[in-house]
Amino acid sequence: MTQAGIDARVFNENLAGASGQIPFIETWPEIWLTDPADEGRARALLRDYETTPADSGTVFCPKCKEANPANFETCWKCGAVLR
Ligand SMILES: [Zn+2]
């Protein structure tokens, strides 16, 4: 994974979907930086990520009227684009 110019490896990424069966803290992706000099910027990015609300409301599908979390881009039920 390379994001924002930072070369890093993400481990446990595939386990994130298993949250709920395993204590959440154990499924949090580990990020290993290949260049220690990136640490400050990487931490800043993680802070941004962690403080971005994952669920800030509900959006109703324009097609099937199903309620979707506001951070969804497509309807979980019918796949229509939500906005
Ligand atoms: Zn829908």
Side-chain angles (χ1 to χ4, degrees):
M1 177 187 92
T2 300
Q3 231 173 8
I6 297 175
D7 187 22
R9 305 280 179 267
V10 179
F11 297 95
N12 296 343
E13 199 170 27
N14 296 334
L15 278 175
S19 294
Q21 288 135 32
I22 307 176
F24 181 68
I25 195 73
E26 290 179 22
T27 62
W28 192 252
E30 287 177 28
I31 300 174
W32 291 21
L33 299 175
T34 51
D35 181 355
D38 285 331
E39 184 183 343
R41 282 166 58 223
R43 286 190 186 281
L45 284 173
L46 282 176
R47 242 189 335 269
D48 284 354
Y49 179 76
E50 285 168 358
T51 54
T52 301
D55 181 3
S56 55
T58 301
V59 171
F60 291 93
C61 176
K63 192 173 167 191
C64 72
K65 312 300 181 198
E66 188 60 47
N68 287 267
N71 61 322
F72 277 32
E73 289 178 7
T74 55
C75 175
W76 64 266
K77 192 175 183 185
C78 74
V81 176
L82 293 174
R83 70 191 90 147

